[in-house]
Amino acid sequence: MTGTIALVVAATGCGGGTGAESAPGKVTSITALDYYTDEPEHAQWGEILSACGKSAGVRVEQTSVPGASLVPKVLQRASSRTLPDLLMLDNPDLQQIAQTGALTPLDRYGVDSSGFAKGILSAGTYNGKVYGLAPYVSTIALFYNKDMLAKAGVAVPRTWDELKAAAAKLTRPGRYGMAVDANATFEGTWQFLPFLWSNGGDEKRLDTPQAAQALQLWVDLVKSGSMSKSVLNWTQADLHDQFAAGRAAMMINGPWRIPALDKDKNLHWGVAPIPAPRPGQTPVTPLGGEVWTVPQSAATARQEKAAQVLACLNSSSIMLALAKQHFTVPSRTAVAAQYAEQVPSMAAFVKSVEAARARTGELGVKWPKAATGIYTAIQSALTGEQTPEEALRHAQQIATSN
């Protein structure tokens, strides 16, 4: 895909700007900070930032730091007023940074935020103002081994009851029917959210019957032997390895796994929305992805240029090109629909994104405490230390603790 983004930018002329930036006193370069340290992602984003910068008449100087270092670095630089001109944030972190006053609302620059799915726009919103826009998003869905399901005479499950029955039929020595990531991190919480939310559970109140029913489903899958107890330690990368090796017939995972799955020509897989509690329901899944923001600065001209680059990143043509490059879902609904037709393996993710929710949508900056409570409850319930009800009562205490 190298060069594709630059060609798209050149063809569409997105971002505006002219070559007049070399005039005295004009902005000729801006800085950008992200956490795309791995290749080829770092180089790909360097290419698009350069292309969008060129269309805005500036050079973009990209710096990438490890994901765990980004927010501490941003908070440090915010206090010393040395933030970059353009800043990428993981969408759950936007609330925390916006709360400090370090970001500027995008309507100040006339950035177009129309056509974005409601949940996606809320991920970049703080106190009713849009501070960040995501060129693309991701979520999770159900991957399944077509050969295994066909041999067992199992249809792709669409409800919880069908999921339990299918997982049981697909389980045999050396193979589990189902696999999830239930580890003690925010990743474990992320995987549980579709089950919690789709059943009417809510992070504002974790100790409800709806939440307990969702957690009971995971407990039942482990107790019955349809799911390995090792899910307590598995990451999403581990799920992929189990699935690819034929040790799991179904798994919950994201579209970023598709390139690796495609390389295995002997593996025949499909992807479908995560099963919902009852027939006809649309599952509610969490939104992943990064938003781009324009930090506060005394240099208004630099902010204007950063906003032009941000607008370019979020233009429809760039969204589509990026989604194809990264196996993600374009954030504008109309573009996502076009993408689903062009890339069928992404159709389930496009459908799920329509009803997906931002993790910080309800609790804002208080979300991390609730997320910690949720993964703690998952660990306690799946190990049998506590019942789902007891584990979720404890989770609520963690979520509301000072």
Side-chain angles (χ1 to χ4, degrees):
M1 292 289 283
T2 303
T4 302
I5 301 292
L7 287 171
V8 169
V9 173
T12 58
C14 71
T18 67
E21 291 309 310
S22 56
K26 293 289 186 180
V27 178
T28 57
S29 67
I30 62 169
T31 56
L33 179 65
D34 60 46
Y35 60 35
Y36 301 125
T37 54
D38 294 340
E39 295 296 355
E41 207 172 25
H42 176 75
Q44 289 170 343
W45 273 100
E47 178 192 341
I48 183 181
L49 287 167
S50 293
C52 281
K54 192 173 181 181
S55 79
V58 291
R59 186 178 73 256
V60 180
E61 298 170 358
Q62 178 197 22
T63 301
S64 300
V65 298
S69 307
L70 184 65
V71 169
K73 193 175 191 71
V74 168
L75 291 170
Q76 179 188 14
R77 291 181 65 173
S79 63
S80 60
R81 300 186 179 277
T82 56
L83 281 169
D85 302 304
L86 190 62
L87 172 65
M88 182 229 73
L89 294 167
D90 194 13
N91 77 67
D93 296 324
L94 178 124
Q95 301 270 335
Q96 180 188 3
I97 305 304
Q99 187 187 42
T100 70
L103 306 177
T104 60
L106 297 181
D107 61 0
R108 179 182 297 180
Y109 314 103
V111 175
D112 179 18
S113 61
S114 64
F116 283 74
K118 183 182 174 183
I120 297 173
L121 205 56
S122 76
T125 301
Y126 174 72
N127 278 356
K129 288 274 190 182
V130 177
Y131 286 87
L133 287 179
Y136 56 64
V137 292
S138 62
T139 191
I140 41 180
L142 180 77
F143 286 82
Y144 57 91
N145 185 303
K146 289 182 175 181
D147 295 338
M148 291 178 184
L149 266 68
K151 193 171 181 181
V154 171
V156 178
R158 304 201 180 280
T159 66
W160 286 5
D161 285 344
E162 290 176 4
L163 176 65
K164 287 170 77 171
K169 273 192 174 182
L170 290 162
T171 298
R172 59 195 56 196
R175 186 178 85 200
Y176 290 95
M178 181 64 178
V180 299
D181 167 351
N183 72 31
T185 70
F186 288 168
E187 203 173 86
T189 297
W190 154 265
Q191 287 239 330
F192 181 66
L193 286 176
F195 298 89
L196 174 71
W197 286 345
S198 300
N199 200 43
D202 199 302
E203 59 270 34
K204 288 184 293 186
R205 190 78 212 180
L206 294 172
D207 52 347
T208 63
Q210 292 90 339
Q213 286 165 4
L215 189 48
Q216 188 66 54
L217 174 68
W218 278 25
V219 170
D220 290 347
L221 286 166
V222 170
K223 272 190 174 178
S224 68
S226 296
M227 199 157 74
S228 172
K229 279 188 178 177
S230 297
V231 298
L232 286 158
N233 301 308
W234 282 350
T235 64
Q236 291 179 140
D238 293 329
L239 297 185
H240 176 275
D241 292 343
Q242 295 293 320
F243 184 77
R247 292 192 291 269
M250 299 182 292
M251 68 168 175
I252 304 295
N253 224 319
W256 51 86
R257 294 291 158 198
I258 290 177
L261 291 172
D262 277 343
K263 286 180 183 174
D264 189 343
K265 300 306 175 189
N266 296 318
L267 185 63
H268 305 126
W269 56 275
V271 62
I274 292 173
R278 288 163 290 282
Q281 276 189 308
T282 299
V284 184
T285 59
L287 280 171
E290 297 82 24
V291 294
W292 288 85
T293 67
V294 178
Q296 289 282 8
S297 165
T300 308
R302 295 178 72 91
Q303 288 179 316
E304 292 282 354
K305 287 299 178 184
Q308 285 183 27
V309 174
L310 185 151
C312 173
L313 297 177
N314 285 279
S315 64
S316 295
S317 54
I318 295 297
M319 277 185 180
L320 188 58
L322 280 170
K324 288 178 178 177
Q325 193 176 58
H326 295 280
F327 281 90
T328 47
V329 178
S331 293
R332 294 183 197 267
T333 306
V335 184
Q338 180 186 352
Y339 177 58
E341 290 180 7
Q342 295 178 8
V343 188
S345 63
M346 290 297 297
F349 295 100
V350 170
K351 183 172 177 59
S352 295
V353 160
E354 291 171 9
R357 281 177 45 189
R359 283 159 281 176
T360 51
E362 295 285 349
L363 295 179
V365 294
K366 297 178 181 176
W367 162 248
K369 279 189 177 180
T372 301
I374 291 168
Y375 72 64
T376 303
I378 293 168
Q379 291 275 312
S380 296
L382 264 58
T383 55
E385 290 176 21
Q386 293 179 304
T387 65
E389 290 79 7
E390 291 167 343
L392 288 162
R393 278 198 292 274
H394 183 224
Q396 182 63 20
Q397 291 171 357
I398 293 171
T400 54
S401 64
N402 292 322

